[in-house]
């Protein structure tokens, strides 16, 4: 960075600062003996922030099967790093969003930031990286230097920003025009905030990962840079180059093929829609991911294939994407994200038409002992076998899905409580009577079932209520000796599960 630009940044009186709540939480987390109760108390002093955190940890973004009701609970269940990242993320985005200079495309900036942050978490999870929360937060803040340069240089920087068609072109243009890049400025700013190196270093070097020196920080820097290119897929007017870059880098660096990358894009699209609302970031018109992928693939096929092969290959690729984006890899059942969408649709339709919608939830009994006794591979085989039986039992209009862990769900549109209970009992008997063969070992398992039904007179107002009711019924089945079916009902006097 040139001395002149550094001086302008240092003397800028409107430079973004770290919000007070974020400072307090950082100081508390850096103590030798971390007091979770004190951290929770500090966060809950800001009701709006605490509410956002709880809403986020209970969203499908984190995929929790049970509701988290307090910040203290969130700290215990999700861990200190996840909650700390949310505090920093929410407080900083709220603070940075207030200062909006005219002429600069703030909507494009924040759209790219939230798509990138979501992509970083998806990629780091796919790579089994333990620093998923750091990846999310670092990517969310990686381009804060753009806001700083816009603040300090005004129209001079606006002219630079207007020339780019994609963010990938920005660093070269900045270097040529300013002798510095937004990544350097981002690194300088977050270091002035005294953010830990695990955040500050990857932010500074997300366009030049080798500069991070240490292997874990180099990996985080690579993820942030790659996540930013994923964001370009959803932000750029012509996304073909971004799609190609991500596919190539994922294959070269991590041996992940194009079909898996496309499924990853679909997951990023789905999760960003939810997390953007929580961060109060406007994504504008809904992104048609299928159209984005179609546009990108058509551009690539025009270059690499003869015209008569285009339609066939694109159809095959989109079919693979659809399956991978909606299917749980282990069991072959529908995945949680697609379940949530389907359940939301049929719940609304059932409520509007005053018909019936039933949901069966099952939990494999003593599943931990299967893993402990026979190994996790055997446990996976049991889950796959039970999932297969559930899939066979499902009718054409039903959806069989993996809810989480060893919990599976069968959604039964236009189905009464009595019919659902009968289906659950049939499935219970099928599982109990099934001998699952794993190599030379035969394993028999049972499952506990909960049935809940949305019907006229039942006070469920959202899909989560139906899921919770089925979960409560499973809980009662477990405590009634396991391997049985319990049906949720409302007791007249107490309005609680019978």
């Amino acid at each position: 960075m040139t001395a002149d630009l550094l001086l302008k940044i240092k003397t800028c009186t409107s430079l973004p600062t770290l919000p007070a709540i974020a400072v307090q939480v950082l100081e508390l987390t850096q103590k030798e003996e971390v007091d979770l109760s004190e951290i929770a108390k500090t966060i809950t002093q800001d009701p709006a922030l605490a509410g956002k955190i709880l809403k986020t940890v209970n969203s499908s973004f984190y995929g929790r099967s049970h509701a988290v009701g307090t910040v203290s609970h969130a700290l215990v269940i999700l861990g200190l790093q996840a909650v700390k990242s949310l505090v920093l993320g929410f407080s900083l985005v709220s603070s940075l969003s207030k200062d909006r200079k005219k002429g600069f495309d703030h909507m494009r900036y924040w759209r790219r930031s939230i798509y990138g942050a979501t992509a970083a978490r998806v990629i780091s999870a796919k790579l089994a990286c333990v620093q998923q929360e750091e990846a999310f937060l670092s990517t969310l803040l990686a381009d804060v230097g753009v806001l700083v340069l816009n603040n300090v240089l005004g129209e001079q920087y606006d002219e630079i920003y207007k020339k780019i068609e994609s963010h990938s072109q920005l660093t070269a243009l900045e270097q040529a025009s300013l002798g510095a890049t937004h990544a350097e400025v981002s690194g300088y700013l977050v270091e002035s905030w005294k953010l830990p190196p695990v955040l500050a270093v990857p932010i500074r070097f997300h366009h030049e990962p080798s500069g991070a020196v240490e292997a874990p920080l180099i990996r985080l820097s690579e993820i942030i840079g790659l996540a930013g290119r994923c964001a370009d897929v959803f932000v750029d007017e012509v996304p073909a180059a971004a799609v190609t870059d991500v596919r190539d880098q994922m294959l070269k660096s991590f041996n992940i093929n194009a079909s898996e990358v496309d499924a990853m894009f679909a997951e990023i699209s789905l999760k960003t829609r939810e997390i953007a609302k929580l961060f109060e970031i406007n994504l504008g018109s809904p992104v048609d991911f299928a159209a984005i992928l179609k546009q990108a693939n058509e551009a690539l096929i025009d270059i690499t294939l003869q015209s008569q092969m285009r339609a066939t290959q694109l159809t095959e690729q989109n079919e693979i994407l659809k399956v991978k984006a909606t299917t749980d890899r282990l069991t072959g059942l529908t995945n949680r994200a697609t379940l949530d969408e389907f359940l939301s649709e049929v719940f609304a339709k059932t409520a509007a038409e005053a018909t019936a919608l039933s949901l069966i939830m099952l939990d494999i009994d003593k599943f931990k002992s299967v893993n402990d006794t026979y190994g996790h591979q055997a446990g996976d085989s049991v889950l796959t076998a039970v999932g297969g039986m559930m899939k066979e039992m499902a009718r054409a209009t039903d959806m069989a899905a993996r809810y989480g862990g060893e919990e599976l769900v069968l959604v039964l549109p236009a189905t009464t409580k009595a019919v659902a209970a009968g289906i659950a009992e049939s499935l219970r008997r099928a599982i109990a009577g099934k001998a699952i063969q794993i190599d030379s070992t035969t394993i028999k398992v049972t499952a506990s079932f909960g049935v809940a039904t949305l019907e006229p007179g039942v006070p469920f107002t959202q899909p989560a209520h139906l899921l919770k009711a089925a979960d409560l019924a499973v809980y009662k089945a477990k405590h009634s000796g396991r391997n049985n079916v319990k049906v949720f009902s409302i007791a007249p006097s107490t309005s609680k599960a019978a």
Side-chain angles (χ1 to χ4, degrees):
M1 192 186 310
T2 65
D4 180 56
L5 180 58
L6 182 59
L7 180 61
K8 288 180 179 179
I9 293 173
K10 285 183 175 180
T11 56
C12 179
T13 57
S14 57
L15 209 62
T17 57
L18 198 62
I21 185 71
V23 173
Q24 293 175 51
V25 171
L26 272 177
E27 289 175 350
L28 289 172
T29 57
Q30 289 169 358
K31 289 183 177 180
E32 289 186 5
E33 294 185 7
V34 178
D35 187 341
L36 294 182
S37 63
E38 187 177 1
I39 294 172
K41 182 179 178 182
T42 299
I43 295 171
T44 51
Q45 288 174 354
D46 185 337
L49 177 60
K52 284 183 178 181
I53 289 171
L54 291 177
K55 194 172 181 181
T56 304
V57 300
N58 284 308
S59 69
S60 62
F61 189 74
Y62 279 95
R64 296 292 309 162
S65 58
H66 300 288
V68 176
T70 65
V71 174
S72 297
H73 192 194
L75 282 163
V76 172
I77 298 298
L78 292 183
L80 177 61
Q81 186 55 47
V83 176
K84 184 177 77 171
S85 292
L86 289 174
V87 169
L88 292 172
F90 279 124
S91 60
L92 280 166
V93 169
S94 177
S95 174
L96 293 168
S97 298
K98 293 176 182 176
D99 186 16
R100 291 179 174 264
K101 297 261 183 202
K102 290 183 179 179
F104 182 76
D105 192 347
H106 288 272
M107 183 175 175
R108 179 183 180 186
Y109 172 87
W110 285 113
R111 283 179 63 212
R112 188 178 185 278
S113 295
I114 198 65
Y115 271 116
T118 307
R121 198 172 193 281
V122 170
I123 293 169
S124 56
K126 192 171 188 64
L127 299 179
C129 175
V130 296
Q131 294 161 322
Q132 295 175 29
E133 303 302 333
E134 289 89 346
F136 177 88
L137 182 58
S138 296
T139 310
L140 187 66
L141 302 177
D143 295 326
V144 69
V146 169
L147 297 181
V148 173
L149 288 170
N150 174 250
N151 198 333
V152 171
L153 301 177
E155 291 184 3
Q156 180 186 357
Y157 192 73
D158 284 347
E159 290 304 311
I160 294 172
Y161 203 75
K162 287 176 183 176
K163 290 178 181 178
I164 63 169
E165 295 179 352
S166 174
H167 184 89
S168 60
Q169 302 165 344
L170 184 58
T171 53
L173 195 56
E174 286 172 334
Q175 191 65 52
S177 303
L178 306 174
T181 69
H182 67 277
E184 293 177 69
V185 178
S186 296
Y188 170 81
L189 184 64
V190 297
E191 285 174 1
S192 74
W193 290 344
K194 297 186 174 9
L195 293 189
V198 71
L199 297 173
V201 173
I203 286 174
R204 178 183 286 273
F205 295 106
H206 68 276
H207 285 298
E208 297 177 303
S210 60
V213 182
E214 297 179 18
L217 297 180
I218 290 175
R219 173 55 61 90
L220 266 180
S221 302
E222 289 175 342
I223 290 174
I224 295 170
L226 184 57
R229 200 62 176 132
C230 286
D232 293 336
V233 172
F234 301 93
V235 175
D236 288 356
E237 288 188 17
V238 182
V243 171
T244 303
D245 287 349
V246 175
R247 285 175 176 168
D248 290 348
Q249 191 171 340
M250 290 293 283
L251 182 62
K252 179 181 177 181
S253 300
F254 310 113
N255 198 31
I256 295 175
N257 63 38
S259 296
E260 291 179 278
V261 172
D262 291 348
M264 185 182 74
F265 286 145
E267 183 179 357
I268 292 166
S269 177
L270 186 67
K271 288 188 172 181
T272 302
R273 286 203 300 271
E274 179 172 16
I275 200 68
K277 294 176 185 176
L278 299 170
F279 276 83
E280 299 178 351
I281 292 174
N282 182 6
L283 292 181
S285 301
V287 172
D288 185 348
F289 173 68
I292 287 177
L293 189 64
K294 183 174 182 293
Q295 179 187 4
N297 285 336
E298 285 178 346
L300 297 172
I301 291 169
D302 283 341
I303 298 172
T304 59
L305 297 177
Q306 297 176 0
S307 60
Q308 63 267 28
M309 298 174 61
R310 293 173 187 170
T312 301
Q313 183 167 343
L314 185 59
T315 300
E316 291 175 353
Q317 191 173 47
N318 285 343
E319 200 58 43
I320 293 171
L321 169 62
K322 182 179 178 181
V323 172
K324 286 184 174 290
T326 60
T327 304
D328 175 64
R329 183 177 296 182
L330 175 62
T331 63
L333 299 176
T334 300
N335 62 23
R336 174 66 187 276
T338 309
L339 165 67
D340 288 341
E341 286 192 339
F342 177 76
L343 185 57
S344 179
E345 291 174 4
V346 295
F347 188 96
K349 182 180 179 182
T350 301
E353 297 176 354
T355 54
L357 167 65
S358 292
L359 186 143
I360 298 172
M361 181 179 291
L362 73 82
D363 190 307
I364 299 173
D365 295 328
K366 299 182 179 179
F367 186 71
K368 184 177 183 300
S369 68
V370 173
N371 285 328
D372 292 344
T373 304
Y374 303 103
H376 287 277
Q377 188 172 357
D380 289 348
S381 297
V382 167
L383 267 174
T384 301
V386 172
M389 284 185 275
M390 176 175 271
K391 198 169 184 179
E392 288 177 6
M393 190 74 69
R395 302 164 301 186
T397 56
D398 301 337
M399 176 177 282
R402 186 178 183 186
Y403 185 64
E406 63 270 25
E407 292 179 315
L408 308 179
V409 163
L410 186 59
V411 182
L412 307 165
T415 304
T416 64
K417 184 185 298 182
V419 172
I423 293 173
E425 177 60 24
S426 297
L427 185 55
R428 183 198 66 77
R429 290 178 181 174
I431 293 170
K434 174 78 171 179
I436 300 172
Q437 194 70 32
I438 302 171
D439 296 329
S440 60
T441 303
T442 300
I443 301 176
K444 297 196 73 173
V445 296
T446 61
S448 297
F449 289 75
V451 177
T453 301
L454 171 67
E455 56 190 352
V458 174
F460 299 153
T461 59
Q462 52 185 281
H465 294 162
L466 188 63
L467 285 164
K468 182 63 176 178
D471 187 49
L472 288 171
V474 170
Y475 180 82
K476 187 168 184 179
K478 289 283 189 183
H479 286 264
S480 299
R482 300 185 178 91
N483 189 25
N484 62 73
V485 176
K486 292 295 180 183
V487 179
F488 180 90
S489 61
I490 305 294
S493 59
T494 61
S495 294
K496 298 215 176 193

